[in-house]
Amino acid sequence: MSTNRFAFFKGEIVPIADAKVSVMNHALNYGTGCFEGIRAYWNEADEQLYVFHLHAHYERLLRSCKVLQIRLPYTVEQLAETTLELLRREEFRSDVYIRPLAYKSFEGIGVRLHDISDDFTIWAIPFGKYIEKEAGLKVGISSWRRIDDNAIPARLKATGSYVNSALVKSEAMQNGFDEGIVLTQDGHVCEGSAENIYVVRNGVLYTPGITDNILEGITRHVIKQLATEELGLQVVERTIDRTELYAADEIFFCGTGVEVTPVVEVDHRAVGNGEIGPIFTQLRSLYYAATHGQDAKRREWCSPVYTSVLA
């Protein structure tokens, strides 16, 4: 199956062509929506599609909704089951990206969050690599700064706030880099345009803390668990200075879209010896096993879509 055929829209699964909003839609005009990105991985040996950390994503979505005063008539369990049913209808036999979106559905003028209608949709598409760069990424420090928690909270996956990410990404690529690293308002390392970041120095993993205006990433937490539980490594959450990137042994991004992707150059300076590092390599293998339902200790992280083998 090369594309998607359905969406969950206005309370039911409908043909994708029928899942449309008006040009007057509040979320379209003002960015008043919040979303999740969820991956599902096809396991050929099991003939199964596994959705990774499905419930954790919906728990985060409902937290985002709370900030935006979006009220959804669904529990985490209901959202998860609706997603699984949508995927069953699609009959995907490949890796998939799932996009749930909660949004202000009011049609009219007026910037506010209260006393206007809400709605919710889910769609999914076959999806491979977010960044095709097996040899590692060459990145640059962005001239744009990350939005502050007291402006638009970065831990909130608001549709409007991703203008900040788009500015970072386009600047980086148009300047010849693969990706950008954005700093906080006070000049400390925050994250990529849409990815959390880990820095390895002397065998210790460092990552910005949740008060450094980062998205509280689900993949970020998974990497922390795998590093500590499987590799016995120390993971430290703290403020990171820009020049620590130049002195790093390894750097990598992580996130649902980017998965786990190495950085081999920052601002034209090689990271370590300029090659993919051993800690990243081990973590990538562990992450692949976990996401594809191959890690027996962590099968609860994966929600199987199909109850029987597909025809």
Side-chain angles (χ1 to χ4, degrees):
M1 205 68 63
S2 61
T3 187
N4 56 335
R5 297 176 294 158
F6 302 102
F8 180 77
F9 184 69
K10 294 192 178 299
E12 59 183 338
I13 295 176
V14 301
I16 191 70
D18 295 339
K20 298 184 183 300
V21 298
S22 166
V23 295
M24 295 174 63
N25 175 269
H26 198 273
L28 175 64
N29 283 273
Y30 299 117
T32 49
C34 55
F35 69 96
E36 280 296 320
I38 308 172
R39 274 192 184 264
Y41 293 90
W42 176 249
N43 183 316
E44 187 66 39
D46 292 353
E47 288 269 306
Q48 184 60 266
L49 185 63
Y50 291 113
V51 187
F52 192 61
H53 268 312
L54 180 58
H55 290 76
H57 280 283
Y58 279 123
E59 287 166 2
R60 188 171 64 182
L61 178 72
L62 293 182
R63 291 195 296 270
S64 294
C65 286
K66 186 175 182 180
V67 178
L68 285 183
Q69 298 185 41
I70 294 174
R71 293 174 174 82
L72 298 185
Y74 308 111
T75 65
V76 168
E77 286 293 338
Q78 289 171 327
L79 292 168
E81 184 50 46
T82 298
T83 301
L84 295 175
E85 179 57 30
L86 175 66
L87 294 175
R88 292 184 195 111
R89 292 279 295 273
E90 293 283 13
E91 298 183 335
F92 292 125
R93 296 175 68 94
S94 64
D95 294 349
V96 175
Y97 187 88
I98 305 152
R99 171 52 53 84
L101 172 66
Y103 59 97
K104 293 296 181 182
S105 57
F106 172 70
E107 297 179 5
I109 301 299
V111 183
R112 66 184 189 277
L113 298 174
H114 67 287
D115 293 337
I116 53 177
S117 56
D118 307 311
D119 218 326
F120 176 72
T121 185
I122 315 170
W123 52 271
I125 56 171
F127 195 78
K129 293 286 186 182
Y130 178 64
I131 300 177
E132 294 283 355
K133 204 80 176 195
E134 290 299 323
L137 306 184
K138 297 181 179 181
V139 308
I141 304 299
S142 181
S143 67
W144 299 97
R145 295 296 175 94
R146 178 58 84 218
I147 48 178
D148 187 77
D149 188 69
N150 283 316
I152 304 176
R155 64 170 49 89
L156 161 68
K157 286 181 71 72
T159 55
S161 68
Y162 275 73
V163 170
N164 184 237
S165 296
L167 290 166
V168 173
K169 181 74 171 184
S170 285
E171 179 191 57
M173 296 190 72
Q174 289 168 347
N175 285 339
F177 297 108
D178 301 309
E179 182 57 277
I181 292 176
V182 64
L183 306 179
T184 62
Q185 294 295 320
D186 57 1
H188 295 117
V189 174
C190 184
E191 54 192 2
S193 66
E195 311 91 3
N196 291 125
I197 189 170
Y198 273 96
V199 177
V200 181
R201 298 189 67 185
N202 300 317
V204 178
L205 275 68
Y206 298 94
T207 191
I210 61 173
T211 57
D212 280 324
N213 291 325
I214 68 167
L215 175 69
E216 295 183 22
I218 292 167
T219 307
R220 171 181 175 273
H221 184 64
V222 166
I223 293 300
K224 181 178 180 178
Q225 286 182 272
L226 294 174
T228 56
E229 296 171 7
E230 296 298 322
L231 302 182
L233 297 174
Q234 183 182 7
V235 178
V236 178
E237 297 186 31
R238 66 162 173 81
T239 296
I240 298 173
D241 289 329
R242 173 177 179 164
T243 53
E244 289 188 76
L245 300 177
Y246 306 149
D249 300 320
E250 298 181 43
I251 298 173
F252 59 89
F253 289 130
C254 64
T256 297
V258 77
E259 301 173 288
V260 189
T261 300
V263 174
V264 296
E265 188 177 293
V266 180
D267 286 347
H268 307 291
R269 297 164 173 84
V271 176
N273 62 8
E275 298 179 356
I276 295 174
I279 289 178
F280 165 79
T281 301
Q282 294 176 82
L283 285 170
R284 177 171 56 183
S285 294
L286 291 167
Y287 184 76
Y288 182 93
T291 56
H292 287 73
Q294 297 172 355
D295 184 344
K297 291 189 294 185
R298 299 178 175 86
R299 287 295 288 267
E300 73 276 5
W301 290 358
C302 298
S303 299
V305 171
Y306 304 116
T307 55
S308 60
V309 176
L310 288 173

